Amino acid sequence: MKHRIVVLGAGYAGAYVAGTLARRLSPQDAGITVVNAEPDFVQRLRLHQLAAGQAIDAPELADVFAGTGIRLRLARVTAVDPERQVVAVADADGGGELGYDTLLYALGSHAADHGVPGVAEHAFDVSSRPAALRLRERLDSLSRRDEDGSVLVVGDGLTGIETAAEIAESRPGLSVALIARGELGAPLSAGARSHLRRACDRLGITVLEHISVETVEATRVLCSDGMALASDATVWTAGFAVSPIAAAGGLVVTENGRIVVDRTMRSVSHPNVYAVGDSAYAIGDNGRPLPMSCASAGYTGMQATAAIVGRLTGRKIPDTKLEYLGNHISLGRRDGILQMVDDQGQAKPKYVGGRKAARIKAGILKMSLWTTSHPTFGLPKRKHHLAAVPDASAERMVA
């Protein structure tokens, strides 16, 4: 009987791991199934562009995995039962259960409302393709009105900054404001912060600093200092959260639901479960938790792949890099900031800004899309047979 590998999620990390495993493991010994709710690959790093009205590529996953031997199941994951080693899914036919021997959990993250009243009912976000398209429809309706529309972006993290800049540049008829809980761009170097402020001035973005939003209503937001800000479209970018599925299934997770993993991305509570990307709470080479990011998805995906192949084939498991080098921030299509960080995650004094930074960011996005669309390109052609693998439940009892 084939060893059943189930990959939950086909984002940057999930698609990479699935493709690499398909190229490295013998199809006679292992069967790989990818479960994803969307039929297309979602370029999450460009969803703010989609929301602003631009066209972005979305390759069909059926084409991405064609010829790899990977089975694609279009369904929504509803539960994970690591004791029974099954995953519950829901689809147009009602769904069912998938059994697994090895599980790769890569369900990513979504916008976190932090318990703020009205966010779920009235705010927009760009954490998924449907959410970005919903915001796009709202912006389209505002652009068709005779009077100017107002857009309020709450949160000055990377997503908030990029979203505000993209909307302001793509839709100059709209009034865009950005709410920062502290100083705008606080984690950046002094030079990068100055560059960011100049970009906001150039794009006509109103920056509101040291403001905390307490309530979101249909046409305004209420702040902790009693101020009310009018808004025709409130975009919530104040952080991300993960699905409660892992916690509900009994996996050891952090307070915010991320799966606690060891150095090889293996669950500390269930040795046949691996987690990558935003879903994983992984400690980097600098001793600090890796942040939720595309870069972390790449590094954790490489380490999980190496660990799964190594354990299943009886080979030594190498340590891949687990590091975070910096942030790439797009400020519209012709401007950007590349901010490198030190080994403690603090911004280095120098930064790259302007068109050069924009070109670097565009190159990274293009490379990420190409490698995801060709998941087995450039990998070793030799497919390894599986060795005798110890029973996972028995290993857990011994550990």
Side-chain angles (χ1 to χ4, degrees):
M1 183 177 177
K2 289 185 179 182
H3 188 90
R4 300 164 300 172
I5 301 175
V6 174
V7 178
L8 304 183
Y12 293 104
Y16 167 81
V17 174
T20 306
L21 292 177
R23 190 65 179 266
R24 297 291 301 277
L25 299 176
S26 169
Q28 299 174 6
D29 298 346
I32 302 171
T33 299
V34 174
V35 182
N36 200 67
E38 295 284 325
D40 305 323
F41 173 71
V42 177
Q43 293 193 73
R44 183 165 178 177
L45 293 176
R46 299 184 63 189
L47 287 179
H48 58 287
Q49 293 178 243
L50 180 66
Q54 301 169 28
I56 64 173
D57 292 331
E60 291 188 12
L61 290 174
D63 294 334
V64 169
F65 295 131
T68 65
I70 295 171
R71 178 194 174 206
L72 175 63
R73 177 72 181 271
L74 295 178
R76 180 173 55 87
V77 178
T78 58
V80 172
D81 188 338
E83 303 304 326
R84 295 174 52 225
Q85 296 186 195
V86 297
V87 175
V89 299
D91 57 21
D93 298 323
E97 290 186 339
L98 294 174
Y100 67 84
D101 299 302
T102 296
L103 181 70
L104 191 286
Y105 192 107
L107 291 180
S109 61
H110 57 269
D113 61 19
H114 300 298
V116 175
V119 172
E121 297 83 1
H122 304 299
F124 298 85
D125 66 77
V126 291
S127 63
S128 68
R129 182 178 175 85
L133 290 174
R134 177 171 166 264
L135 173 57
R136 180 173 180 161
E137 291 177 0
R138 178 58 175 164
L139 297 179
D140 285 342
S141 68
L142 295 180
S143 297
R144 288 192 293 266
R145 301 192 324 185
D146 292 334
E147 70 273 15
D148 291 339
S150 61
V151 178
L152 186 61
V153 179
V154 181
D156 66 325
L158 304 187
T159 302
I161 292 171
E162 292 190 329
T163 301
E166 208 69 53
I167 294 175
E169 182 177 88
S170 297
R171 300 174 181 265
L174 298 178
S175 173
V176 179
L178 176 62
I179 289 184
R181 192 176 184 89
E183 179 187 1
L184 176 66
L188 302 175
S189 64
R193 289 198 300 272
S194 296
H195 185 101
L196 174 58
R197 289 186 180 279
R198 291 194 298 272
C200 288
D201 290 342
R202 172 177 57 82
L203 294 168
I205 299 172
T206 300
V207 177
L208 305 171
E209 297 175 288
H210 305 287
I211 292 178
S212 177
V213 172
E214 287 199 338
T215 304
V216 176
E217 298 182 351
T219 58
R220 64 178 185 170
V221 300
L222 305 180
C223 304
S224 58
D225 61 358
M227 179 171 54
L229 300 172
S231 174
D232 294 311
T234 299
V235 187
W236 191 263
T237 65
F240 296 98
V242 299
S243 167
I245 288 176
L251 291 159
V252 170
V253 300
T254 60
E255 290 185 0
N256 62 359
R258 300 172 74 186
I259 298 174
V260 181
V261 297
D262 63 16
R263 182 57 176 75
T264 67
M265 302 304 112
R266 194 185 206 184
S267 164
V268 297
S269 60
H270 294 79
N272 59 351
V273 176
Y274 294 78
V276 294
D278 289 354
S279 301
Y281 180 79
I283 303 301
D285 294 338
N286 61 357
R288 302 166 63 90
L290 291 175
M292 293 183 178
S293 69
C294 179
S296 297
Y299 287 124
T300 56
M302 287 188 284
Q303 181 61 80
T305 303
I308 293 172
V309 171
R311 289 195 173 103
L312 293 183
T313 63
R315 287 170 167 76
K316 181 179 179 180
I317 300 173
D319 283 346
T320 64
K321 290 182 178 180
L322 294 178
E323 56 187 357
Y324 193 77
L325 300 176
N327 299 313
H328 302 84
I329 309 172
S330 64
L331 301 171
R333 296 297 86 213
R334 297 178 296 278
D335 193 4
I337 293 173
L338 170 57
Q339 176 69 73
M340 306 304 289
V341 300
D342 60 23
D343 59 3
Q344 295 304 306
Q346 301 300 310
K348 293 183 177 180
K350 292 185 178 180
Y351 78 100
V352 178
R355 289 183 179 270
K356 182 177 181 180
R359 288 194 295 268
I360 293 173
K361 177 69 179 285
I364 292 172
L365 295 177
K366 184 177 181 180
M367 179 182 67
S368 297
L369 176 61
W370 195 93
T371 54
T372 303
S373 301
H374 303 78
T376 61
F377 180 82
L379 299 176
K381 294 183 178 180
R382 181 182 177 186
K383 296 180 182 290
H384 301 301
H385 287 283
L386 271 60
V389 181
D391 180 72
S393 60
E395 182 175 348
R396 184 164 68 251
M397 287 188 292
V398 172

